Amino acid sequence: MAEPLKIALAGLGTVGTGVVRLIETNADLIARRAGRPIRITAVSARDRSKDRGVDLSPYAWEDDPVAMAARGDVDVVVELVGGSDGPALALARGAFKHGKGLVTANKAMIAHHGLELAASAEQTSVPLKFEAAVAGGIPVIKGLSEGAAANAIDRVYGILNGTCNYILSTMEDTGADFGDVLAEAQRLGYAEADPTFDIEGIDAAHKLAILASIAFGARLRFDAVETMGISRVKAADIEQARALGYVIRLIGTAEIDRGEGVPRLLQRVRPHLVPFDHPLAHVDGATNAVVAEGNFMGRLLFQGAGAGDGPTASAVVADIIDIARGEKGAAFSMPAGDLEAMEPAPTGHRLGRSYIRFTVPDRPGVLADITAAMRDAGVSIESLIQKGDPDDDGEVILALVTHEVPESAVSEAMRILEGSHSLTAQPLVMQIIGD
Ligand code: NAP
Ligand code: HSE
């Protein structure tokens, strides 16, 4: 058998220890599939004394992860530290400077610096791979850049954050409190080091920007992703949504808008109401699902574990195996310089139905004020529910579903109601997913 591929692992947390376990457990199978053994030569993390449940004694230890890039006994650096900048980025840049390939699960770094890193990798003719950065164990990057490579893709959307999906579906199933379910997601290793990245939709936005670039051949535009997370979704919304025939899911959508001749890019992450009979309504726990629509293949659905040590390690090691086989490929499925620059698409004209939750004082005239704002903005109401007794502060929740109207009309209604004494909190608007 050929010479081993020698790898250095930076980061020995949830994903890093998963990679060690996977490479040790399936060593023979991996060697046969890769055509050569994969050998870990060096590892690095912050705390050398921490018990990580894996035997690290066979490997050289580096206190400074960036030092791995310069080691002579390393062919490929595997970055599993995290963070868009700092040691992760220094290590990535160092790897290319020293002519080594890079595998990473770090969507924050790729969303912010992916184009620079891809260009550096091309210049030095080394591979850059990041399958684990999007949708954990699902081979969606491979699926889009290889399996769907012949298609023009105009839309890609789905559930891209395991932590949020775990929180929403567990709250839905058990009525558990948001904070308790988030703590459980952290314990299970799903959440980012800073979980606000998960619950505020930033992690899903990182992944969406990467997917959009690969799917559409567009230059990465993380700065252009409209992002809203799930931190404002209450148990009452989940209950109202259920009464109306929906579940709530955090959905990322990227779409090419060809409306005015020049293609523009819509990228947004938002909680949505999803009808019970829609395939995404049945995606529970830390599962992710991605739908891609191509002009010849039709609709593809990728689904699987979106977070956690095993599934993420599986995607990381798949990239390492590709490199061991000698596959280089362009990181974004075409050379970085060929990716097309696209401006963000306007959204006001887009038609859709929305769920709007108002928190209101339980007194006469409130409903009239809300419906007047809807009338003045041209928003037609499909249904309206006020359920339950006022809480201790005399407030009630009022949920409204609109007919199909332009997004700009809903925004206008919200603008009219700004500062109204008939509202005690900012309304929450969630779109209802279409086909
Ligand atoms: P983690 O459990 O927090 O592990 C991070 C590791 O990096 C730890 O071993 C830590 O060392 C080390 N580290 C952190 N800062 C360091 C520094 N300044 N210098 C040296 N080492 C440092 O994170 P994770 O969940 O494994 O995630 C790693 C990467 O994978 C992130 O980019 C994340 O977004 C991505 N990812 C995670 C998942 C998932 O399900 N967890 C899924 C897909 C992608 P100590 O252990 O000594 O503190
Ligand atoms: N924190 C991420 C999630 C990890 O919950 O989806 C997987 O990328």
Side-chain angles (χ1 to χ4, degrees), residues 10-16 44-48 50 52 63 65 79-83 87 105-107 132-133 136 189-193 203 306-309 312:
L12 295 166
T14 302
V15 185
S44 174
R46 271 181 302 218
D47 179 359
R48 189 171 186 173
K50 200 189 263 185
R52 298 170 193 277
D63 284 326
E79 184 281 307
L80 303 170
V81 170
N106 188 337
K107 50 268 167 149
Y190 303 153
E192 295 303 300
D203 177 78
D309 55 351
T312 312

Side-chain angles (χ1 to χ4, degrees), residues 64 79 82 110 116 121 124 133 138 153 156 171 180 191 224 226-227 232 243 246 259 269 272 296 308 334 348 358:
D64 176 9
E79 184 281 307
I110 296 299
E116 172 214 311
T124 33
I138 308 174
I153 297 175
V156 54
M171 285 174 73
D180 291 344
E226 281 177 40
T227 305
R232 295 192 56 226
Y246 302 96
V269 170
H272 279 71
F296 274 67
M334 64 178 72
F358 297 99

Side-chain angles (χ1 to χ4, degrees), residues 147-225:
N151 288 262
I153 297 175
D154 268 4
R155 184 155 79 127
V156 54
Y157 66 97
I159 293 171
L160 298 171
N161 185 269
T163 301
C164 286
N165 211 60
Y166 182 79
I167 292 173
L168 291 171
S169 59
T170 307
M171 285 174 73
E172 191 181 289
D173 291 346
T174 66
D177 175 67
F178 187 102
D180 291 344
V181 191
L182 170 60
E184 182 64 3
Q186 288 178 284
R187 193 189 63 74
L188 292 167
Y190 303 153
E192 295 303 300
D194 175 356
T196 57
F197 275 67
D198 296 293
I199 62 176
E200 297 304 345
I202 301 160
D203 177 78
H206 288 147
K207 295 166 178 166
L208 186 72
I210 297 169
L211 268 189
S213 176
I214 292 168
F216 310 140
R219 283 178 76 76
L220 256 175
R221 284 292 306 270
F222 170 66
D223 63 310
V225 186

Side-chain angles (χ1 to χ4, degrees), residues 39 58 61 90 101 103 135 186 232 309 314 351 391 403 428:
R39 181 173 300 157
W61 177 274
V103 173
Q186 288 178 284
R232 295 192 56 226
D309 55 351
S314 160
L351 295 175
D391 65 12
H403 279 293
L428 174 69

